[in-house]
Amino acid sequence: EKMLRRGAGQWVGSAGAGGRRHLFGWLAGALKKNVAKVNLVREDGTLVPMLESPIAPVRDLAQQYAKFGKGCNKCTAPKIISCPKSGFPSHCTEECYHEDTAHQDYVPKLRQVYEDMVDLRSGRAFPEFNFPGPPGHEFQRAELFNWLTYLSDRRFNGRDAVIGSARTPDEREREAQSLRHISSIFTYPLTIAHSIYWNNTLGDPSKLDKRLDEDGNKLPWRIAVLGARREATMPYRIWAELCAIFPEAHFHLHLVGPEVPEKLHEETKEILPGQLTISWTRGEYQDVHQFTDIPDLFVAFNSGMGFNSTVEGRNSWDDALDLVFHDTGFKPLLFTSHSKEDSGRDYSYIARRNDCRFLMHPAENTFMSLNVDAAVNNIRHMINTNHTYSVVRGAPPSGVIAGDTLMERLYNAIK
């Protein structure tokens, strides 16, 4: 718990600029004690079924797949037959398994999911979680093109060496797994950073240090993460990556949601002086809106806001979006989805509101998590955290926002 709450300011401690701190020890240590060594492949080349795994969390998850999942999409009986190639409980009978030829198309991804789960609990050393410190100087910027380029520029560790150093097929396979592990947690700050840099969600990204008060002090860029879940309890070091990308800026993250831990409710911590502050609020945004400063950017990670939406009924996100679109000065909302299908539902729900305008239509997120998960209710539905993202903001009935007409934008660009 102490490691979980440790301040990211320690990334510039005794190690100095560019040094390394093992700030993900809370995960590596917790998983390491589950099992000493796991042999995933049997002598005959088949995989040990997840239902028979010596790792309790893997076994528990397999039981959920067996109880709630769909195999061939025809049967509703529990999935007690495990696929020997992927290890997943996939079918109710041997006959059903052999008749379902379409299942083989999903085997490679399912096997990858199983291998990654076991690897995280294998007890091996995890150099991937020994993260780099801040850049040596403010001109040392990593390119926000893709995961491999960014992590290589920042000198993140892979299993064998620094990311980007793999040469042989085996090294590339292990590096790909390291990329999946790292991207599963850094997808949150990198998705925000990508939208700031490429979609100007905070205005001109080259002028993030120009926001000053009357005394010349930097004012923070306020980012509200709505419906925060996993991201509310991540180590501070993960969010500090925003400061490695934009060292000249000062960010204030406000993590809001009913799943924020009670012990963090109404806490505010300065993580990196003059660069990063984090606040937590347990509750719905509509309940705290009037008591907080208006954010400059709203973010909703994997909200599923379109999943239960109806044409006539109210959606659980309606009240919050009413405020975001109408009572914040038309600040942008960045929202992500787990898959292309989820994105379509989210987009349809937002588009039907008719009180907003898309600044960026749904597109595959360059910095989605490369770690793939199989949905518990259907192992053929593969999902990635932050797979797709869009940017939208409220708009008046005329659709024209002051300062945002074509001529005004051209004038400001020239100026």
Side-chain angles (χ1 to χ4, degrees), residues 319-336:
D319 292 336
L321 294 184
D322 286 345
L323 293 170
V324 171
F325 291 155
H326 299 289
D327 198 29
T328 63
F330 307 116
K331 300 299 183 183
L333 165 68
L334 160 68
F335 68 93
T336 70

Side-chain angles (χ1 to χ4, degrees), residues 12 43 55 78 118 125 136 144 153 162 195 221 242 254 283 299 303 309 351 365 372 377 387 406 408:
V12 291
E43 291 183 0
I55 307 173
V118 170
L144 286 169
D153 286 351
V162 173
S195 76
W221 292 96
L242 276 172
H254 187 190
V299 181
S303 66
S309 66
N365 180 12
V372 179
N377 63 344
H387 177 277
L406 177 60
E408 286 171 318

Side-chain angles (χ1 to χ4, degrees), residues 162 268 282 287 296 382:
V162 173
T268 297
R282 181 181 174 89
D287 298 326
D296 301 290
M382 301 293 177

Side-chain angles (χ1 to χ4, degrees), residues 400-410:
V400 179
I401 299 173
D404 197 44
T405 65
L406 177 60
M407 291 304 297
E408 286 171 318
R409 278 185 285 166
L410 284 172

Side-chain angles (χ1 to χ4, degrees), residues 205-262:
S206 68
K207 298 180 179 179
L208 295 181
D209 60 339
K210 305 301 182 185
R211 195 182 205 192
L212 308 174
D213 62 17
E214 295 179 354
D215 298 323
N217 301 311
K218 282 194 298 185
L219 293 173
W221 292 96
R222 300 182 181 278
I223 301 175
V225 179
L226 309 183
R229 298 184 294 272
R230 179 191 185 191
E231 54 270 32
T233 57
M234 292 194 306
Y236 306 145
R237 168 61 185 88
I238 308 303
W239 289 116
E241 195 64 19
L242 276 172
C243 304
I245 302 169
F246 304 108
E248 71 281 8
H250 181 191
F251 295 106
H252 187 151
L253 293 177
H254 187 190
L255 304 168
V256 185
E259 295 183 42
V260 170
E262 184 67 40

Side-chain angles (χ1 to χ4, degrees), residues 380-392:
R380 298 186 180 188
H381 185 202
M382 301 293 177
I383 57 178
N384 301 72
T385 299
N386 300 329
H387 177 277
T388 306
Y389 87 73
S390 307
V391 181
V392 64

Side-chain angles (χ1 to χ4, degrees), residues 149-181:
T149 299
Y150 181 80
L151 297 179
S152 176
D153 286 351
R154 287 280 289 123
R155 307 290 292 174
F156 271 75
N157 283 328
R159 184 169 179 173
D160 301 309
V162 173
I163 294 292
S165 303
R167 294 295 179 265
T168 68
D170 286 345
E171 287 176 349
R172 283 194 287 270
E173 183 177 343
R174 289 192 293 270
E175 183 176 84
Q177 187 173 65
S178 296
L179 282 168
R180 293 195 294 272
H181 291 335

Side-chain angles (χ1 to χ4, degrees), residues 273-347:
Q275 286 188 297
L276 179 63
T277 303
I278 302 179
S279 299
W280 295 264
T281 300
R282 181 181 174 89
E284 303 286 356
Y285 178 72
Q286 57 268 29
D287 298 326
V288 302
H289 168 75
Q290 61 179 321
F291 306 111
T292 60
D293 294 323
I294 298 298
D296 301 290
L297 172 64
F298 292 92
V299 181
F301 290 118
N302 310 296
S303 66
M305 60 179 66
F307 191 77
N308 295 315
S309 66
T310 61
V311 175
E312 298 179 357
R314 292 285 290 178
N315 184 289
S316 59
W317 279 89
D318 283 347
D319 292 336
L321 294 184
D322 286 345
L323 293 170
V324 171
F325 291 155
H326 299 289
D327 198 29
T328 63
F330 307 116
K331 300 299 183 183
L333 165 68
L334 160 68
F335 68 93
T336 70
S337 309
H338 271 128
S339 65
K340 184 177 180 180
E341 293 76 16
D342 289 337
S343 175
R345 285 190 290 265
D346 293 345
Y347 177 81

